[in-house]
Amino acid sequence: MPGDGKSASKVLPGLRTLTGYRREWLAKDVVAGVVLTTLLVPQGMAYAELAGLPAITGLYTSVLCLLAYAVFGPSRILVLGPDSSLGPMIAATVLPLIAAGGDSGRAVALASVLALMVGAITLLAGVARLGFIADLISKPTMIGYMNGLALTILIGQLPKLFGFGTDADGLVDEARAFVQGLADGEAVPAAVAVGGTGIVLILLLQRLLPKVPAVLVMVLLAIAATSLFDLGRHGVGLVGELPRGFPPLTVPDIRWSDVGPLFVGALGIALVSLADTISNASAFATRTGQEVRGNEEMVAIGTANVAAGLFQGFPVSTSGSRTAVAERAGARTQLTGVVGAGLIVLMLVLLPGLFRNLPQPALAAVVVTASLSLADLSGTVRLWHQRKAEFFLSIAAFLGVALLGVLPGIAVAVGLSILNVFRRAWWPYNTVLGRVPGLAGFHDVRSYPQAEHLPGLVIHRFDGPLFFANAKAFRNEVTRLALAEPPPVWVLIAAEPVTDVDTTAADELEELDEALDERGVSLVFAELKDPVRRKIERYGLTRSIDPEHFFPTVEAAVAAFRERTGARWTAPDPPVPDVTATER
């Protein structure tokens, strides 16, 4: 039935793409899939090790999330996979649960359960249509978080880049351990040469030849250098031969005591993954003319994580860099990702030793360059020039990651974002309005000091909802205006920006009206929104505040005041000269 096909395509967006697929897209999708694979393989292995897991799990994860997103993903172009921003969060969650000395099998099981939890959280959020959750992190706090994450990744990769390891945990301890390792002569010159050259090569190619797969070129040259100079004998660690084949469907086995810590980590990872996905989906949808379907994206991300978790994988997110590579290579649909997944499987089955001579410092170089792309120093500088408060929010989020750790850092970022919203509602902008000759309406006297006023009338605008946190501040400001000399007859509230009035604010308004009446001052409202007016009536305020003191517009209220008092517009008083300053 037609309705069944429509509902099926809604549950499985991949069917929408399949039914509308064009023959001329096939060659472009296949070529883009081949190009994308050259990035998926080295990055997948590098980000797996960043997460504290065997390199092979990065390839398992890449395959499953690409296939799952091809079926459930609403975007035709987004590419999923292991991500540099999630790697430290996975490591921070999993590694503390592993006994000293490390157990790779247990680490993989823990990471797989983490992926299942992230998948369940995002699936439930998508089904419940909670796409707005991704908005819990504001851009300034996300910039600070990512800057802190970039520094954390960079410092954490330095020992590997220099050919040795440390047991330190946390940015400060890792930096101290790295410096101590250098002082103790643990650096391997050959590893430093490979890692340093790899970073320079990737950055130069990305800048000078952006269409060239910089990571693949560096990886191939590093493998060639291993064979040519026998780097393994010079103390450079190598990836070694990967396990042949693909893992079976596996239900990971963990302890009950692991569930709590994993769930806490899963919440943070899910939030970052969702924010990253919605951001990338919006950016690429604008460029390709597609519609952003936030809730479907969450379902797709959840499904991809569940699929990865059942095949020895770990949590995934979308990747802006890999999506950009696919787009530049001509990708038209998610068949690009399917081709990439198929090529990785063929490599694992037929050529598992292809990357056995890949130096570990080369993988560290991949991660370091990825961390540099996470940082947004220009965005931080822009915040300083545009809005100091948001700059300091960004710095606080940065310090939260750098000093407290990755997982506490995301909690700090979310908390700061929520507090910033509350702060703006708590102390909204408020001002007095006046008439500016030649301009329609009434305007802020701070912006227009020459604005005229009517003697006996103060027009006050409060730019926010009235609720328990700011009701007292509103009352104090109106009282201050009413105590001016000479005292006003009316204090007119230009209430169009007031989007809500709660019961606490209603009580404050009633007490304020009574206090002003005792002074012979009337509290008057104009432009109250209908929903707010209905709330005020439900609270019974229209019984205490004169119903005739509610006007549909500020203009109508001003006209009524002039009719009752005969007041005329008056220019503002000139400023009193500073005699002391003049004498000096």
Side-chain angles (χ1 to χ4, degrees):
M1 293 177 63
D4 294 338
K6 188 174 181 179
S7 60
S9 65
K10 189 173 182 179
V11 176
L12 304 174
L15 290 179
R16 288 199 299 258
T17 303
L18 187 61
T19 55
Y21 198 85
R22 301 177 187 175
R23 183 177 299 177
E24 62 266 25
W25 290 350
L26 181 60
K28 293 181 179 179
D29 278 339
V30 171
V31 171
V34 174
V35 173
L36 182 62
T37 306
T38 64
L39 188 63
L40 291 173
V41 173
Q43 281 195 346
M45 292 192 296
Y47 296 161
E49 295 200 344
L50 176 62
L53 302 168
I56 187 65
T57 59
L59 303 184
Y60 299 157
T61 301
S62 298
V63 170
L64 268 302
C65 69
L66 288 171
L67 294 178
Y69 193 82
V71 177
F72 292 93
S75 171
R76 290 184 175 182
I77 195 171
L78 282 186
V79 177
L80 268 66
D83 189 68
S84 57
S85 64
L86 298 189
M89 300 181 74
I90 298 169
T93 305
V94 169
L95 296 184
L97 301 177
I98 302 174
D103 180 345
S104 61
R106 176 162 159 73
V108 170
L110 290 168
S112 297
V113 172
L114 190 61
L116 292 173
M117 287 182 173
V118 171
I121 291 169
T122 49
L123 270 171
L124 288 174
V127 171
R129 310 185 69 80
L130 299 177
F132 65 88
I133 290 176
D135 298 329
L136 285 177
I137 309 180
S138 67
K139 188 169 183 180
T141 49
M142 180 58 89
I143 289 175
Y145 174 77
M146 286 299 179
N147 285 340
L149 194 62
L151 182 61
T152 299
I153 294 173
L154 178 63
I155 297 299
Q157 290 296 303
L158 286 178
K160 185 177 176 182
L161 198 69
F162 279 68
F164 64 94
T166 69
D167 295 327
D169 182 27
L171 179 65
V172 176
D173 289 341
E174 286 178 343
R176 186 183 297 115
F178 171 67
V179 172
Q180 186 63 48
L182 291 181
D184 294 341
E186 296 183 30
V188 177
V192 176
V194 170
T197 303
I199 292 174
V200 172
L201 186 60
I202 291 175
L203 294 177
L204 283 177
L205 288 177
Q206 287 177 340
R207 184 174 182 83
L208 301 178
L209 300 170
K211 292 186 177 181
V212 173
V215 172
L216 177 65
V217 171
M218 187 277 292
V219 164
L220 293 178
L221 289 177
I223 292 174
T226 299
S227 303
L228 186 61
F229 299 108
D230 198 8
L231 295 178
R233 290 198 171 193
H234 289 81
V236 179
L238 305 177
V239 170
E241 188 156 339
L242 300 175
R244 182 183 293 273
F246 203 76
L249 187 148
T250 306
V251 177
D253 182 24
I254 63 168
R255 304 165 187 161
W256 278 109
S257 59
D258 298 328
V259 173
L262 288 177
F263 183 72
V264 172
L267 287 174
I269 292 171
L271 183 59
V272 171
S273 178
L274 290 177
D276 202 24
T277 298
I278 299 301
S279 174
N280 283 321
S282 300
F284 285 96
T286 301
R287 290 162 59 170
T288 58
Q290 298 180 49
E291 179 184 353
V292 179
R293 297 182 174 92
N295 293 309
E296 288 185 14
E297 290 289 0
M298 288 195 291
V299 170
I301 290 290
T303 306
N305 276 288
V306 169
L310 292 174
F311 288 87
Q312 299 183 24
F314 50 86
V316 298
S317 179
T318 55
S319 168
S321 62
R322 289 190 288 271
T323 302
V325 167
E327 183 188 43
R328 286 199 301 267
R332 291 293 180 269
T333 69
Q334 285 299 330
L335 182 60
T336 295
V338 174
V339 171
L343 290 175
I344 294 174
V345 171
L346 287 176
M347 187 200 78
L348 291 175
V349 172
L350 302 177
L351 299 169
L354 185 62
F355 290 94
R356 73 170 166 269
N357 287 330
L358 175 61
Q360 291 285 358
L363 288 181
V366 173
V367 174
V368 167
T369 54
S371 74
L372 296 178
S373 68
L374 291 177
D376 188 0
L377 298 182
S378 62
T380 305
V381 173
R382 187 174 66 252
L383 289 175
W384 170 259
H385 292 295
Q386 292 178 345
R387 190 160 184 166
K388 298 292 192 297
E390 295 194 345
F391 168 80
F392 288 116
L393 278 176
S394 178
I395 295 300
F398 168 80
L399 293 175
V401 178
L403 301 179
L404 302 179
V406 176
L407 287 177
I410 190 63
V412 169
V414 172
L416 287 174
S417 295
I418 295 173
L419 284 175
N420 191 34
V421 172
F422 189 74
R423 178 189 64 83
R424 292 179 183 179
W426 192 356
W427 296 309
Y429 184 77
N430 65 96
T431 188
V432 171
L433 305 181
R435 189 184 76 161
V436 180
L439 288 179
F442 300 91
H443 304 277
D444 189 341
V445 297
R446 293 171 183 163
S447 300
Y448 297 92
Q450 76 277 21
E452 299 175 341
H453 68 281
L454 288 172
L457 175 67
V458 175
I459 307 174
H460 179 59
R461 192 183 71 205
F462 188 82
D463 293 350
L466 272 171
F467 68 116
F468 66 92
N470 63 23
K472 187 75 71 176
F474 172 83
R475 177 178 175 175
N476 292 340
E477 179 62 17
V478 172
T479 301
R480 185 187 68 81
L481 294 172
L483 292 176
E485 289 295 338
V489 178
W490 278 13
V491 174
L492 170 61
I493 307 300
E496 194 273 338
V498 178
T499 56
D500 191 21
V501 175
D502 71 1
T503 56
T504 303
D507 291 341
E508 290 286 349
L509 285 176
E510 186 171 14
E511 293 175 9
L512 174 63
D513 181 64
E514 293 173 355
L516 293 182
D517 283 344
E518 291 177 1
R519 297 178 180 273
V521 180
S522 295
L523 183 63
V524 183
F525 294 87
E527 298 184 356
L528 270 174
K529 298 178 185 298
D530 288 342
V532 179
R533 176 66 185 267
R534 286 194 291 269
K535 287 181 181 179
I536 283 180
E537 290 174 349
R538 191 163 64 247
Y539 298 152
L541 278 179
T542 49
R543 291 194 300 270
S544 56
I545 300 177
D546 189 343
E548 294 186 359
H549 287 172
F550 292 89
F551 292 88
T553 65
V554 175
E555 288 80 1
V558 169
F561 179 80
R562 294 189 66 190
E563 183 178 348
R564 296 179 190 183
T565 64
R568 295 184 179 184
W569 291 105
T570 304
D573 296 330
V576 177
D578 188 343
V579 179
T580 306
T582 304
E583 291 175 351
R584 286 198 301 265

